């Protein structure tokens, strides 16, 4: 019997509503044991700004550092559009990612059989799709220096962003990719632009060398990132884990996301390096969607992305593979039974609310056990 510590940060807008679904699942797990979760909740984003003038406090950061995993809802909304840039709601999330050194961003794209018709691609191309995009999150062109716009005279300006990667940054994300692949179908496709970018040449070299250093059981292939984008919409089921940098990962993960239909269905995880002593990684789990102020407070948001993010926590932070499988199967069962929130309901179908969807998933968990 082990008790794990979770920090729940529901945030703003629909964040607290969809987090309700996670609370229900945790309640179900705790009632059954043997392992249980001790839950602490705190403020982040606009809610934290309203309370104490910062989008995340040092005390909350301390709790996040100490927790076994952070479960994050969403932040932001028009109410905080005019607050100073460094305390805007999103700054709380960026500080969490930076201070916890969450360099590996996992974006699964799973098509539940009952929703295969909702994809913009043909049903046969996406039915049963289960791929994972692993994006490097703390390096590359979004952070490289120099990053500036300078006046070069004659009415001209020059904008510079710097794509920069060091060996260690590529090596640690490559290791994460190979280890994740071992828990799946055992295949990694690394994507870069080595034909035109030096960072792509180094990326390719380091991924290849890391693979040779103890991961030969995993199949490694390489693809140019632009060709990868084409293949994602031509034949997405050919992939298992796609490993890529921050910039290409940003784009490719959004492309893959849309293969699956709705924003309300997409979970994500961000992981740090394994601790040298305990082997445990710092981790934050969050839905891909934002705070959806347009539908907040109406009990109509889809909690599935949030609950599926918690299932990722069970899988990647707590090695509770069986429980993670069961939560995902419960989501699939509820969808197969025709239950839909408004965002995934077909025209004319009756939709259920956020609370009811959470209850239905817990009922399906109970029924299957
Ligand atoms: P959004 O993801 O909040 O919403 C986009 C659209 O999708 C909206 O129409 C919304 O109603 C719908 N939607 C989103 N999640 C849904 C769900 N679970 N169920 C049903 N429908 C859902 O993106 P946006 O409107 O561009 O941004 C709103 C706010 O959220 C902004 O302040 C933005 O900065 C913030 N944001 C935060 C995060 C985050 O916390 N990680 C991510 C993206 C956007």
């Amino acid at each position: 019997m082990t008790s794990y510590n979770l920090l729940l940060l529901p945030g703003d807008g629909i964040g607290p509503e969809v987090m309700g679904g996670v609370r229900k699942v945790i309640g179900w797990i705790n009632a059954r044991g043997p392992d249980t979760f001790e839950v602490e909740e705190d403020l982040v984003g606009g809610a934290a700004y309203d309370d104490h003038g910062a989008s995340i406090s040092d005390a909350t950061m301390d709790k996040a550092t100490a927790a076994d995993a952070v479960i994050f809802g969403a932040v932001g909304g028009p109410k905080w559009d005019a607050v100073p840039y460094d305390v805007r709601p999103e700054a709380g999330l960026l500080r969490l990612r930076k201070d916890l050194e969450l360099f590996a961003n996992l974006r699964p794209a799973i098509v539940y059989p009952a929703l295969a018709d909702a994809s913009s691609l043909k049903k046969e191309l996406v039915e049963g799709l289960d791929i994972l995009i692993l994006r490097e999150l703390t390096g590359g062109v979004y952070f490289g220096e120099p990053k500036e716009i300078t006046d070069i005279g004659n009415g001209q300006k020059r904008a510079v962003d710097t794509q920069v990667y060091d060996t260690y940054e590529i090596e640690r994300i490559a290791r994460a990719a190979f280890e994740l692949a071992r828990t799946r179908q055992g295949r990694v496709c690394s994507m870069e632009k080595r034909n035109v970018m030096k960072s792509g040449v180094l990326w390719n070299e380091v991924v290849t060398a890391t693979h040779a250093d103890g991961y030969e059981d995993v199949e490694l292939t390489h693809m140019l990132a632009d060709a990868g984008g084409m293949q994602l919409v031509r034949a997405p089921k050919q992939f298992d884990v796609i490993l890529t940098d921050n910039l290409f990962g940003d784009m490719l993960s959004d492309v893959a996301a849309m293969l699956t239909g709705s924003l309300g269905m997409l979970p994500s995880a961000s992981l740090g390096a394994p601790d040298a002593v305990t082997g445990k990684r710092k981790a934050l789990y969050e839905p891909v969607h934002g705070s959806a102020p347009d539908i907040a407070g109406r009990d109509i948001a889809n909690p599935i992305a949030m609950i599926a993010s918690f299932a990722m926590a069970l899988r990647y932070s707590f090695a509770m593979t069986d429980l993670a499988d069961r939560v995902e199967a419960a989501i699939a069962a509820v969808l197969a039974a025709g239950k839909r929130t408004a965002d995934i309901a077909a025209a004319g179908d009756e939709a259920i609310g956020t609370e009811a969807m959470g209850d239905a998933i817990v009922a399906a968990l109970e029924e299957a056990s």
Side-chain angles (χ1 to χ4, degrees):
M1 266 178 63
T2 313
S3 180
Y4 298 103
N5 292 312
L6 292 176
L7 177 64
L8 306 193
L9 298 174
D12 308 318
I14 63 168
E17 296 173 58
V18 295
M19 192 65 83
V22 171
R23 286 191 208 98
K24 289 179 203 284
V25 174
I26 293 172
W28 182 84
I29 294 172
N30 284 355
R32 289 169 48 92
D35 297 331
T36 54
F37 291 101
E38 211 158 287
V39 171
E40 202 171 349
E41 291 210 22
D42 214 335
L43 300 175
V44 71
Y49 176 80
D50 288 347
D51 188 70
H52 51 256
S55 49
I56 191 160
S57 69
D58 291 343
T60 309
M61 279 307 307
D62 288 346
K63 288 182 198 170
T65 307
D68 292 314
V70 178
I71 315 294
F72 187 97
V75 290
K79 183 180 174 194
W80 301 282
D81 277 353
V83 307
Y85 186 78
D86 57 331
V87 290
R88 71 199 189 284
E90 291 76 8
L93 178 58
L94 295 181
R95 181 168 177 202
L96 279 161
R97 285 180 182 159
K98 183 166 172 283
D99 289 10
L100 300 181
E101 289 184 70
L102 305 175
F103 65 84
N105 183 229
L106 285 68
R107 291 267 303 258
I110 295 170
V111 174
Y112 292 94
L115 292 184
D117 283 326
S119 173
S120 50
L121 294 194
K122 288 192 209 101
K123 187 174 178 174
E124 59 270 24
L125 288 184
V126 294
E127 203 165 28
L129 180 77
D130 179 1
I131 62 178
L132 178 68
I133 309 238
L134 185 63
R135 166 187 171 194
E136 201 289 327
L137 198 60
T138 53
V141 74
Y142 294 161
F143 298 98
E145 296 285 347
K147 184 179 208 47
E148 60 192 10
I149 299 177
T150 47
D151 207 322
I152 54 170
N154 296 329
Q156 294 290 303
K157 290 181 179 177
R158 176 172 294 154
V160 178
D161 291 290
T162 306
Q163 164 84 340
V164 53
Y165 272 109
D166 290 353
T167 304
Y168 83 94
E169 294 174 289
I170 305 170
E171 190 184 319
R172 66 183 180 179
I173 190 87
R175 286 191 191 285
F178 297 132
E179 282 158 24
L180 286 167
R182 280 179 176 156
T183 69
R184 300 170 47 90
Q185 297 166 37
R187 295 183 290 119
V188 171
C189 181
S190 170
M191 296 187 185
E192 29 60 18
K193 288 279 290 173
R194 65 187 176 282
N195 53 339
V196 285
M197 295 172 77
K198 289 293 177 196
S199 56
V201 172
L202 184 67
W203 184 278
N204 186 281
E205 264 175 38
V206 175
V207 170
T208 304
T210 308
H211 179 247
D213 184 29
Y215 296 103
E216 287 101 334
D217 55 307
V218 177
E219 179 193 303
L220 172 65
T221 52
H222 300 274
M223 203 176 270
L224 296 177
D226 50 345
M230 284 197 283
Q231 290 299 327
L232 260 179
V233 290
R234 195 189 70 84
K237 284 192 264 185
Q238 70 184 284
F239 297 112
D240 179 22
V241 176
I242 292 175
L243 164 64
T244 191
D245 74 8
N246 203 343
L247 173 65
F248 298 134
D250 195 2
M251 292 189 281
L252 293 171
S253 61
D254 275 8
V255 171
M258 280 304 105
L259 303 175
T260 70
S262 164
L263 209 46
M265 299 291 299
L266 297 165
S268 81
S270 300
L271 308 179
D275 181 272
V277 180
T278 64
K280 252 190 112 49
R281 291 176 186 272
K282 293 262 181 290
L284 181 143
Y285 299 87
E286 59 174 323
V288 168
H289 63 72
S291 59
D294 54 333
I295 59 166
R298 292 164 53 196
D299 189 41
I300 57 173
N302 185 347
I304 291 179
M306 186 76 250
I307 294 173
S309 300
F310 180 62
M312 291 185 80
L314 296 173
R315 189 179 301 285
Y316 297 118
S317 279
F318 304 108
M320 297 178 179
T321 312
D322 178 54
L323 205 46
D325 287 346
R326 284 202 274 164
V327 173
E328 285 163 5
I331 293 170
V334 165
L335 293 171
K339 296 203 167 74
R340 304 276 191 275
T341 43
D343 58 310
I344 50 173
D349 281 359
E350 201 181 319
I352 62 172
T354 314
E355 288 278 340
M357 181 55 96
D359 289 338
I361 290 167
V362 170
L365 267 171
E366 181 65 31
E367 203 171 302
S369 45

